[in-house]
């Protein structure tokens, strides 16, 4: 297969400098220091059973997405694009000991699945962030590559998220902690979003835009669908809500971006080093799910390659 990057990697060599710095991924939990062992239960990894710095210390790029098959395909594709030795078809699932998530390491890139919805990605992110912290990783970029419902945009477009918003179009994530509601910011890195947008311009026929991504707790009623098992609103109400969302800057809807932005931002995968990328097929009645997902990852692959060659 012809490399996507054959003609386009050079311009990004200069841009890789924007990733320079020395920022370790950090945890914000005083209890961890006093623990004898940290078991990353859902990843089937641990500080006593695995040499995490040796296994993961060189990671610079983490790509996450809901489906295990997609993240395996992404890892295999990266393997080819990065020109790594060995058979990319036989890459090993590092989390094979659990069927919760899958994880593949391809050079400096980690590809991980997170399942559907905020609780599922949140569990994965807790353990991933601890993993990157124990492995002493620094300058890590994390990108979510997922499907989404586009709002008023061309079918098949890629939306690069600038800000994740909740169902009220607010740039925040409400985390219930014990019986308190803690509000966390969901700002994402604007430079990385611009960089991904610029990468996409290098690729012909690749509709990409920057916009707000709305994160909901539900795929059906939460996203204004009329075809769930329950529906408590009219077609007109649905359109009125989606129009308000569009006017607030929302260009696509999915189910993980707010907690992704909040957690990564708090733990040092932020500022110049985090963003989320989601795909926006048109919404109705059902989006064409087998999207050209790997097509949509081209800008990410270009940035990864620039970092890899650093
Ligand atoms: O394409 P993925 O990453 O699975 O994400 C989107 O698809 C799922 C709904 O079908 C939700 O998890 C939504 O966020
Ligand atoms: O959450 C999602 C994911 C894909 N497509 C949608 O319409 N919504």
């Amino acid at each position: 297969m012809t490399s996507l990057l054959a003609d386009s990697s050079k311009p990004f060599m200069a841009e890789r400098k924007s990733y320079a710095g020395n920022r370790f991924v950090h945890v914000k939990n005083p209890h961890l220091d006093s623990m004898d062992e940290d078991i990353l239960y859902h990843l089937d990894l641990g500080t006593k059973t695995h040499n995490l710095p040796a296994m993961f210390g060189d990671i610079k790029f983490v790509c996450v997405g809901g489906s295990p098959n997609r993240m395996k395909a992404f890892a295999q594709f990266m393997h080819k694009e990065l020109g790594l030795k060995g058979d990319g078809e036989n890459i090993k699932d590092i989390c094979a000991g659990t069927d919760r998530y899958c994880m593949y390491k391809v050079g400096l890139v980690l590809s991980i699945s997170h399942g559907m919805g905020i609780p599922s990605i949140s569990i994965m992110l807790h353990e991933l962030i601890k993993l990157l912290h124990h492995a002493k990783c620094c300058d890590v970029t994390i990108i979510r590559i997922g499907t989404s419902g586009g709002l008023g945009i061309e079918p098949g477009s890629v939306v690069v998220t600038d800000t994740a918003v909740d169902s009220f179009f607010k740039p925040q994530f409400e985390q219930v902690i014990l019986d308190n509601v803690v509000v966390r910011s969901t700002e994402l890195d604007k430079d990385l979003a611009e960089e991904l947008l610029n990468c996409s311009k290098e690729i012909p026929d690749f509709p990409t835009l920057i916009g707000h991504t709305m994160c909901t707790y539900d795929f059906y009623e939460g996203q204004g669908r009329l075809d769930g098992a329950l529906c408590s609103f009219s077609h007109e109400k649905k359109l009125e809500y989606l129009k308000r969302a569009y006017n607030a800057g929302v260009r696509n809807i999915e189910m993980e971006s707010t907690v992704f932005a909040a957690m990564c931002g708090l733990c040092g995968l932020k500022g110049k080093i985090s963003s989320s990328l989601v795909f926006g097929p048109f919404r109705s009645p059902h989006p064409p799910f087998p999207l050209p997902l790997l097509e949509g990852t081209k800008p990410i692959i270009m940035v990864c390659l620039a970092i890899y060659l650093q």
Side-chain angles (χ1 to χ4, degrees):
M1 192 184 64
T2 318
S3 169
L4 282 173
L5 304 161
D7 299 317
S8 47
S9 57
K10 282 207 181 83
F12 299 98
M13 300 306 290
E15 289 183 21
R16 72 189 179 198
K17 291 200 174 69
S18 65
Y19 292 92
N22 186 26
R23 291 206 258 171
F24 285 93
V25 176
H26 49 263
V27 291
K28 292 196 162 177
N29 177 358
H31 303 288
L32 284 182
D33 278 346
S34 56
M35 280 167 35
D36 188 35
E37 179 179 14
D38 189 7
I39 298 174
L40 309 176
Y41 181 66
H42 301 86
L43 301 181
D44 194 33
L45 293 167
T47 49
K48 278 209 166 157
T49 48
H50 298 81
N51 183 343
L52 299 178
M55 287 174 75
F56 299 102
D58 59 347
I59 291 295
K60 291 291 175 218
F61 229 98
V62 180
C63 293
V64 306
S67 134
N69 283 337
R70 183 194 313 147
M71 298 324 289
K72 182 175 185 185
F74 176 74
Q76 288 171 330
F77 197 59
M78 282 304 304
H79 191 278
K80 228 177 256 177
E81 288 297 326
L82 296 175
L84 301 180
K85 290 199 189 95
D87 184 4
E89 293 305 306
N90 287 331
I91 51 175
K92 195 172 136 263
D93 178 3
I94 297 167
C95 300
T98 164
D99 59 1
R100 297 294 185 181
Y101 307 108
C102 73
M103 179 191 286
Y104 300 93
K105 184 174 184 297
V106 187
L108 312 183
V109 180
L110 204 57
S111 175
I112 312 175
S113 70
H114 58 60
M116 286 194 284
I118 287 173
S120 183
I121 194 175
S122 155
I123 295 167
M124 189 283 280
L125 285 175
H126 273 282
E127 297 182 14
L128 169 68
I129 290 166
K130 289 196 297 173
L131 166 67
L132 297 173
H133 169 71
H134 292 311
K136 302 187 174 28
C137 295
C138 62
D139 301 329
V140 177
T141 298
I142 182 165
I143 297 182
R144 177 177 129 68
I145 48 177
T147 61
S148 66
L151 258 197
I153 59 176
E154 199 184 322
S157 303
V158 173
V159 178
V160 181
T161 309
D162 56 2
T163 304
V165 299
D166 65 14
S167 298
F168 306 93
F169 324 132
K170 288 193 184 144
Q172 63 180 42
F173 172 63
E174 290 190 350
Q175 173 77 58
V176 179
I177 300 177
L178 306 182
D179 55 355
N180 294 308
V181 177
V182 174
V183 180
R184 289 176 170 161
S185 161
T186 55
E187 288 286 320
L188 283 159
D189 181 70
K190 304 278 187 289
D191 291 349
L192 181 57
E194 284 294 337
E195 188 166 355
L196 290 170
L197 184 71
N198 287 338
C199 287
S200 76
K201 286 181 190 152
E202 305 262 321
I203 306 163
D205 304 322
F206 197 76
T208 305
L209 59 134
I210 291 183
H212 297 353
T213 294
M214 181 162 79
C215 179
T216 66
Y217 283 94
D218 170 50
F219 184 81
Y220 288 97
E221 286 179 293
Q223 296 187 13
R225 283 193 168 77
L226 302 171
D227 59 349
L230 302 172
C231 186
S232 51
F233 49 82
S234 65
H235 184 62
E236 290 67 38
K237 271 268 172 224
K238 159 191 168 158
L239 291 183
E240 185 265 328
Y241 176 68
L242 294 180
K243 205 175 275 177
R244 275 196 287 127
Y246 184 88
N247 290 338
V250 173
R251 293 295 175 269
N252 66 340
I253 309 178
E254 47 80 92
M255 298 176 63
E256 291 85 16
S257 56
T258 49
V259 71
F260 170 89
M263 288 185 71
C264 295
L266 282 170
C267 295
L269 295 110
K270 72 165 180 181
K272 287 195 164 109
I273 52 168
S274 84
S275 186
S276 163
L277 184 140
V278 287
F279 301 85
F282 205 66
R283 285 177 53 77
S284 58
H286 281 292
F289 273 102
L291 289 167
L293 278 176
L294 291 178
E295 288 295 299
T297 61
K298 284 178 190 172
I300 299 172
I301 291 163
M302 291 159 85
V303 177
C304 286
L305 188 78
I307 289 176
Y308 188 76
L309 296 175
Q310 210 165 326

PDB file of all heavy atoms in Angstrom, residues 21-41:
ATOM      1  N   GLY A  21       9.111  20.308  25.335  1.00  0.00           N
ATOM      2  CA  GLY A  21       8.764  20.651  26.711  1.00  0.00           C
ATOM      3  C   GLY A  21       9.158  19.468  27.562  1.00  0.00           C
ATOM      4  O   GLY A  21       9.779  18.542  27.090  1.00  0.00           O
ATOM      5  N   ASN A  22       8.807  19.515  28.797  1.00  0.00           N
ATOM      6  CA  ASN A  22       9.188  18.391  29.639  1.00  0.00           C
ATOM      7  C   ASN A  22       8.093  18.134  30.640  1.00  0.00           C
ATOM      8  O   ASN A  22       8.273  18.258  31.839  1.00  0.00           O
ATOM      9  CB  ASN A  22      10.518  18.699  30.327  1.00  0.00           C
ATOM     10  CG  ASN A  22      11.004  17.489  31.084  1.00  0.00           C
ATOM     11  OD1 ASN A  22      10.651  16.369  30.730  1.00  0.00           O
ATOM     12  ND2 ASN A  22      11.782  17.721  32.119  1.00  0.00           N
ATOM     13  N   ARG A  23       6.959  17.757  30.145  1.00  0.00           N
ATOM     14  CA  ARG A  23       5.823  17.630  31.038  1.00  0.00           C
ATOM     15  C   ARG A  23       5.495  16.172  31.268  1.00  0.00           C
ATOM     16  O   ARG A  23       5.123  15.458  30.344  1.00  0.00           O
ATOM     17  CB  ARG A  23       4.634  18.348  30.434  1.00  0.00           C
ATOM     18  CG  ARG A  23       4.863  19.848  30.437  1.00  0.00           C
ATOM     19  CD  ARG A  23       3.584  20.557  30.458  1.00  0.00           C
ATOM     20  NE  ARG A  23       3.293  21.050  29.125  1.00  0.00           N
ATOM     21  CZ  ARG A  23       2.135  21.584  28.795  1.00  0.00           C
ATOM     22  NH1 ARG A  23       1.168  21.631  29.660  1.00  0.00           N
ATOM     23  NH2 ARG A  23       1.936  22.036  27.584  1.00  0.00           N
ATOM     24  N   PHE A  24       5.625  15.769  32.508  1.00  0.00           N
ATOM     25  CA  PHE A  24       5.282  14.390  32.845  1.00  0.00           C
ATOM     26  C   PHE A  24       3.773  14.265  33.015  1.00  0.00           C
ATOM     27  O   PHE A  24       3.105  15.200  33.440  1.00  0.00           O
ATOM     28  CB  PHE A  24       5.986  13.975  34.139  1.00  0.00           C
ATOM     29  CG  PHE A  24       7.447  13.721  33.940  1.00  0.00           C
ATOM     30  CD1 PHE A  24       8.383  14.724  34.152  1.00  0.00           C
ATOM     31  CD2 PHE A  24       7.890  12.473  33.511  1.00  0.00           C
ATOM     32  CE1 PHE A  24       9.731  14.496  33.936  1.00  0.00           C
ATOM     33  CE2 PHE A  24       9.239  12.239  33.297  1.00  0.00           C
ATOM     34  CZ  PHE A  24      10.162  13.253  33.514  1.00  0.00           C
ATOM     35  N   VAL A  25       3.280  13.095  32.700  1.00  0.00           N
ATOM     36  CA  VAL A  25       1.874  12.826  32.997  1.00  0.00           C
ATOM     37  C   VAL A  25       1.784  12.662  34.510  1.00  0.00           C
ATOM     38  O   VAL A  25       2.584  11.934  35.100  1.00  0.00           O
ATOM     39  CB  VAL A  25       1.427  11.527  32.292  1.00  0.00           C
ATOM     40  CG1 VAL A  25       0.004  11.176  32.668  1.00  0.00           C
ATOM     41  CG2 VAL A  25       1.581  11.668  30.778  1.00  0.00           C
ATOM     42  N   HIS A  26       0.867  13.388  35.140  1.00  0.00           N
ATOM     43  CA  HIS A  26       0.821  13.295  36.603  1.00  0.00           C
ATOM     44  C   HIS A  26      -0.552  12.858  37.103  1.00  0.00           C
ATOM     45  O   HIS A  26      -1.560  13.023  36.417  1.00  0.00           O
ATOM     46  CB  HIS A  26       1.239  14.614  37.252  1.00  0.00           C
ATOM     47  CG  HIS A  26       0.538  15.803  36.685  1.00  0.00           C
ATOM     48  ND1 HIS A  26       1.097  16.598  35.720  1.00  0.00           N
ATOM     49  CD2 HIS A  26      -0.682  16.320  36.933  1.00  0.00           C
ATOM     50  CE1 HIS A  26       0.259  17.561  35.392  1.00  0.00           C
ATOM     51  NE2 HIS A  26      -0.835  17.417  36.120  1.00  0.00           N
ATOM     52  N   VAL A  27      -0.544  12.310  38.297  1.00  0.00           N
ATOM     53  CA  VAL A  27      -1.795  11.923  38.942  1.00  0.00           C
ATOM     54  C   VAL A  27      -2.063  12.942  40.052  1.00  0.00           C
ATOM     55  O   VAL A  27      -1.139  13.607  40.512  1.00  0.00           O
ATOM     56  CB  VAL A  27      -1.695  10.501  39.532  1.00  0.00           C
ATOM     57  CG1 VAL A  27      -1.604   9.471  38.430  1.00  0.00           C
ATOM     58  CG2 VAL A  27      -0.507  10.369  40.459  1.00  0.00           C
ATOM     59  N   LYS A  28      -3.304  13.047  40.443  1.00  0.00           N
ATOM     60  CA  LYS A  28      -3.623  13.978  41.534  1.00  0.00           C
ATOM     61  C   LYS A  28      -4.320  13.189  42.627  1.00  0.00           C
ATOM     62  O   LYS A  28      -5.520  13.347  42.851  1.00  0.00           O
ATOM     63  CB  LYS A  28      -4.514  15.101  41.011  1.00  0.00           C
ATOM     64  CG  LYS A  28      -3.791  16.013  40.046  1.00  0.00           C
ATOM     65  CD  LYS A  28      -4.522  17.298  39.831  1.00  0.00           C
ATOM     66  CE  LYS A  28      -3.572  18.328  39.242  1.00  0.00           C
ATOM     67  NZ  LYS A  28      -4.234  19.582  38.939  1.00  0.00           N
ATOM     68  N   ASN A  29      -3.566  12.281  43.229  1.00  0.00           N
ATOM     69  CA  ASN A  29      -4.134  11.412  44.253  1.00  0.00           C
ATOM     70  C   ASN A  29      -3.075  11.139  45.315  1.00  0.00           C
ATOM     71  O   ASN A  29      -2.156  10.342  45.089  1.00  0.00           O
ATOM     72  CB  ASN A  29      -4.595  10.097  43.612  1.00  0.00           C
ATOM     73  CG  ASN A  29      -5.122   9.122  44.642  1.00  0.00           C
ATOM     74  OD1 ASN A  29      -5.121   9.409  45.848  1.00  0.00           O
ATOM     75  ND2 ASN A  29      -5.551   7.958  44.190  1.00  0.00           N
ATOM     76  N   PRO A  30      -3.164  11.796  46.476  1.00  0.00           N
ATOM     77  CA  PRO A  30      -2.125  11.643  47.509  1.00  0.00           C
ATOM     78  C   PRO A  30      -2.044  10.222  48.060  1.00  0.00           C
ATOM     79  O   PRO A  30      -1.032   9.839  48.642  1.00  0.00           O
ATOM     80  CB  PRO A  30      -2.575  12.625  48.597  1.00  0.00           C
ATOM     81  CG  PRO A  30      -4.036  12.836  48.363  1.00  0.00           C
ATOM     82  CD  PRO A  30      -4.258  12.670  46.891  1.00  0.00           C
ATOM     83  N   HIS A  31      -3.070   9.428  47.875  1.00  0.00           N
ATOM     84  CA  HIS A  31      -3.066   8.069  48.435  1.00  0.00           C
ATOM     85  C   HIS A  31      -2.162   7.122  47.651  1.00  0.00           C
ATOM     86  O   HIS A  31      -1.681   6.127  48.188  1.00  0.00           O
ATOM     87  CB  HIS A  31      -4.489   7.492  48.442  1.00  0.00           C
ATOM     88  CG  HIS A  31      -5.453   8.356  49.190  1.00  0.00           C
ATOM     89  ND1 HIS A  31      -5.450   8.472  50.561  1.00  0.00           N
ATOM     90  CD2 HIS A  31      -6.444   9.173  48.759  1.00  0.00           C
ATOM     91  CE1 HIS A  31      -6.398   9.318  50.940  1.00  0.00           C
ATOM     92  NE2 HIS A  31      -7.018   9.755  49.857  1.00  0.00           N
ATOM     93  N   LEU A  32      -1.946   7.437  46.391  1.00  0.00           N
ATOM     94  CA  LEU A  32      -1.193   6.487  45.551  1.00  0.00           C
ATOM     95  C   LEU A  32       0.223   6.261  46.065  1.00  0.00           C
ATOM     96  O   LEU A  32       0.736   5.148  46.009  1.00  0.00           O
ATOM     97  CB  LEU A  32      -1.138   6.982  44.104  1.00  0.00           C
ATOM     98  CG  LEU A  32      -2.412   6.812  43.272  1.00  0.00           C
ATOM     99  CD1 LEU A  32      -2.175   7.301  41.841  1.00  0.00           C
ATOM    100  CD2 LEU A  32      -2.888   5.364  43.253  1.00  0.00           C
ATOM    101  N   ASP A  33       0.853   7.330  46.582  1.00  0.00           N
ATOM    102  CA  ASP A  33       2.242   7.240  47.037  1.00  0.00           C
ATOM    103  C   ASP A  33       2.423   6.228  48.146  1.00  0.00           C
ATOM    104  O   ASP A  33       3.471   5.605  48.278  1.00  0.00           O
ATOM    105  CB  ASP A  33       2.713   8.613  47.551  1.00  0.00           C
ATOM    106  CG  ASP A  33       3.131   9.487  46.390  1.00  0.00           C
ATOM    107  OD1 ASP A  33       3.292   8.935  45.291  1.00  0.00           O
ATOM    108  OD2 ASP A  33       3.272  10.711  46.603  1.00  0.00           O
ATOM    109  N   SER A  34       1.418   6.074  48.973  1.00  0.00           N
ATOM    110  CA  SER A  34       1.577   5.184  50.120  1.00  0.00           C
ATOM    111  C   SER A  34       1.149   3.744  49.784  1.00  0.00           C
ATOM    112  O   SER A  34       1.175   2.872  50.644  1.00  0.00           O
ATOM    113  CB  SER A  34       0.758   5.712  51.300  1.00  0.00           C
ATOM    114  OG  SER A  34      -0.586   5.848  50.899  1.00  0.00           O
ATOM    115  N   MET A  35       0.783   3.508  48.562  1.00  0.00           N
ATOM    116  CA  MET A  35       0.357   2.145  48.204  1.00  0.00           C
ATOM    117  C   MET A  35       1.559   1.308  47.793  1.00  0.00           C
ATOM    118  O   MET A  35       2.436   1.764  47.064  1.00  0.00           O
ATOM    119  CB  MET A  35      -0.656   2.197  47.045  1.00  0.00           C
ATOM    120  CG  MET A  35      -2.047   2.548  47.515  1.00  0.00           C
ATOM    121  SD  MET A  35      -3.194   2.991  46.182  1.00  0.00           S
ATOM    122  CE  MET A  35      -2.697   1.938  44.865  1.00  0.00           C
ATOM    123  N   ASP A  36       1.562   0.084  48.280  1.00  0.00           N
ATOM    124  CA  ASP A  36       2.655  -0.832  48.000  1.00  0.00           C
ATOM    125  C   ASP A  36       2.648  -1.243  46.523  1.00  0.00           C
ATOM    126  O   ASP A  36       3.688  -1.454  45.901  1.00  0.00           O
ATOM    127  CB  ASP A  36       2.423  -2.054  48.906  1.00  0.00           C
ATOM    128  CG  ASP A  36       3.585  -2.992  48.850  1.00  0.00           C
ATOM    129  OD1 ASP A  36       4.712  -2.486  48.730  1.00  0.00           O
ATOM    130  OD2 ASP A  36       3.348  -4.226  48.873  1.00  0.00           O
ATOM    131  N   GLU A  37       1.477  -1.373  45.998  1.00  0.00           N
ATOM    132  CA  GLU A  37       1.322  -1.852  44.631  1.00  0.00           C
ATOM    133  C   GLU A  37       0.099  -1.168  44.023  1.00  0.00           C
ATOM    134  O   GLU A  37      -0.899  -0.935  44.707  1.00  0.00           O
ATOM    135  CB  GLU A  37       1.074  -3.375  44.656  1.00  0.00           C
ATOM    136  CG  GLU A  37       0.879  -3.979  43.293  1.00  0.00           C
ATOM    137  CD  GLU A  37       0.667  -5.497  43.358  1.00  0.00           C
ATOM    138  OE1 GLU A  37       0.417  -6.015  44.465  1.00  0.00           O
ATOM    139  OE2 GLU A  37       0.732  -6.135  42.299  1.00  0.00           O
ATOM    140  N   ASP A  38       0.188  -0.828  42.746  1.00  0.00           N
ATOM    141  CA  ASP A  38      -0.983  -0.270  42.061  1.00  0.00           C
ATOM    142  C   ASP A  38      -1.411  -1.248  40.969  1.00  0.00           C
ATOM    143  O   ASP A  38      -0.673  -1.482  40.008  1.00  0.00           O
ATOM    144  CB  ASP A  38      -0.626   1.106  41.465  1.00  0.00           C
ATOM    145  CG  ASP A  38      -1.870   1.832  40.941  1.00  0.00           C
ATOM    146  OD1 ASP A  38      -2.990   1.328  41.171  1.00  0.00           O
ATOM    147  OD2 ASP A  38      -1.712   2.889  40.300  1.00  0.00           O
ATOM    148  N   ILE A  39      -2.580  -1.800  41.148  1.00  0.00           N
ATOM    149  CA  ILE A  39      -3.084  -2.759  40.160  1.00  0.00           C
ATOM    150  C   ILE A  39      -4.042  -2.038  39.220  1.00  0.00           C
ATOM    151  O   ILE A  39      -5.042  -1.461  39.653  1.00  0.00           O
ATOM    152  CB  ILE A  39      -3.788  -3.946  40.860  1.00  0.00           C
ATOM    153  CG1 ILE A  39      -2.785  -4.691  41.743  1.00  0.00           C
ATOM    154  CG2 ILE A  39      -4.396  -4.898  39.820  1.00  0.00           C
ATOM    155  CD1 ILE A  39      -3.384  -5.779  42.595  1.00  0.00           C
ATOM    156  N   LEU A  40      -3.687  -2.042  37.946  1.00  0.00           N
ATOM    157  CA  LEU A  40      -4.538  -1.423  36.920  1.00  0.00           C
ATOM    158  C   LEU A  40      -5.480  -2.521  36.446  1.00  0.00           C
ATOM    159  O   LEU A  40      -5.279  -3.157  35.405  1.00  0.00           O
ATOM    160  CB  LEU A  40      -3.665  -0.857  35.794  1.00  0.00           C
ATOM    161  CG  LEU A  40      -2.518   0.051  36.280  1.00  0.00           C
ATOM    162  CD1 LEU A  40      -1.632   0.487  35.132  1.00  0.00           C
ATOM    163  CD2 LEU A  40      -3.043   1.261  37.046  1.00  0.00           C
ATOM    164  N   TYR A  41      -6.483  -2.695  37.242  1.00  0.00           N
ATOM    165  CA  TYR A  41      -7.340  -3.882  37.188  1.00  0.00           C
ATOM    166  C   TYR A  41      -7.928  -4.168  35.808  1.00  0.00           C
ATOM    167  O   TYR A  41      -7.831  -5.268  35.282  1.00  0.00           O
ATOM    168  CB  TYR A  41      -8.454  -3.654  38.221  1.00  0.00           C
ATOM    169  CG  TYR A  41      -9.444  -4.755  38.348  1.00  0.00           C
ATOM    170  CD1 TYR A  41      -9.062  -5.999  38.836  1.00  0.00           C
ATOM    171  CD2 TYR A  41     -10.779  -4.547  37.992  1.00  0.00           C
ATOM    172  CE1 TYR A  41      -9.994  -7.015  38.960  1.00  0.00           C
ATOM    173  CE2 TYR A  41     -11.710  -5.559  38.119  1.00  0.00           C
ATOM    174  CZ  TYR A  41     -11.312  -6.787  38.598  1.00  0.00           C
ATOM    175  OH  TYR A  41     -12.224  -7.784  38.707  1.00  0.00           O
TER     176      TYR A  41
END
